[in-house]
Amino acid sequence: MAETAVVILNWDGREHLRRFLPSVVANTPAGVGIWVADNGSTDGSDAFLAADFPTVGLIRLDRNYGYAEGYNLALADVRLDGVEYAVLLNSDVETPSGWLEPLTGALDADPAFVSVSPKILSYTDRQSFEYAGASGGFIDILGYPFCRGRILSAVERDTGQYDIPREVFWTSGACMAVRLSVFRKLGGFDGDFFAHMEEIDFCWRARLAGWKSGVVPASHVYHLGGGTLSPDSPRKLYLNYRNNLCMLYKNLPPCGRTAIIPLRMVADGLSALFYLLTLRPKAFRAVWDAHRDFRGQKPSLRAKRACTGKPLPLKNMTGVYRGSIIVRYLLGKWKFGSIL
């Protein structure tokens, strides 16, 4: 196995570490380094690790940088120099026996892959896919992400229907193995995202630079999910709406930005109206603030566009549904097999 390191980002997640880290330690092959990158926790996570998991390395960050910049800083640590594959793993993921080898094997087998993810199942309902990745990430023509096994909030049971490995549009940040040298060369995640959709943006930028992403269902993990922000959190809504618009603005070609972003903003506005009519003023405000801040970030986003590869229309890229996933969902035709 190529030199590999598992890196778990932690922020005040001592109880998650207590619950899930034993499976990682027990089921990660000998010789693979396990690191916890601590995002300035105040709950005693570092002391807990030192006492209970002395073989796990600790990368200390001075404050909470969020998921995106936290991982950028952790994976830039000089102690990881020489590591070929870095596995980014959420602190609320249980890893069964044999989870890692198929991921590194897939990267070995195809040098064009920059990242791969396992099949991600629910920790609380092990026969179902988990929201954050399921069996491979895709995107529709308006930039809405979805997965094999999860479309919007609808999650399928896992009956082996998506067990075929394949190229995808994005890999899940809940568990993704990356070529570390390429991750660093491409600038890692966009630290301004803080959290949410940074892995989709990374995979998109990597694709524009000539790399591929894939899912390897021969590996599976169990993800609890919602450990940091609940699905209904206004903060989470804000980050998802803002970061999605920023991602589109950065990575679409000029014709795509002109055509797609106004449609997305109208769709977002309809969502905000729904939140208002259903007496969810904080959710309405989250969308409003996301659009305001997206407009304010356009100068910096223009500068970032110069650092990407040649933009391609979404319709010409692998892992893109050329219609609207929202429309298919509303029509009740949301099963992945009926879409791609």
Side-chain angles (χ1 to χ4, degrees), residues 6 14 82 122 147-148 152 161 226 229 242 260 266:
V6 176
R14 181 180 61 185
S122 170
C147 308
R148 291 198 303 181
L152 299 183
Q161 69 271 42
L229 293 173
R242 185 200 65 177
I260 292 174
V266 169

Side-chain angles (χ1 to χ4, degrees), residues 2 32 34 42 67 71 83 90 117-118 158 167 169 176 188 204 232-233 253 293 309 331:
V32 174
I34 301 174
T42 59
Y67 180 97
Y71 261 121
V83 168
N90 276 14
S117 276
D158 174 28
E167 184 180 351
F169 192 84
M176 60 187 290
W204 195 342
D232 293 326
S233 162
D293 291 349
L331 291 175

Side-chain angles (χ1 to χ4, degrees), residues 73-154:
L73 294 171
L75 297 183
D77 193 286
V78 295
R79 288 172 289 179
L80 297 183
D81 289 353
V83 168
E84 187 169 353
Y85 305 145
V87 183
L88 287 60
L89 186 70
N90 276 14
S91 62
D92 59 349
V93 171
E94 179 184 287
T95 58
S97 176
W99 73 281
L100 184 59
E101 293 90 333
L103 300 178
T104 57
L107 292 174
D108 285 340
D110 192 339
F113 278 105
V114 65
S115 70
V116 293
S117 276
K119 181 165 61 174
I120 299 177
L121 302 174
S122 170
Y123 178 77
T124 56
D125 180 4
R126 298 189 173 219
Q127 301 307 310
S128 294
F129 292 106
E130 208 280 320
Y131 182 91
S135 192
F138 297 78
I139 200 168
D140 79 355
I141 199 64
L142 295 179
Y144 286 102
F146 63 99
C147 308
R148 291 198 303 181
R150 189 273 294 173
I151 294 179
L152 299 183
S153 60

Side-chain angles (χ1 to χ4, degrees), residues 281-294:
K282 291 183 179 179
F284 170 84
R285 182 59 186 267
V287 181
W288 178 277
D289 289 348
H291 279 219
R292 178 202 63 204
D293 291 349
F294 161 66

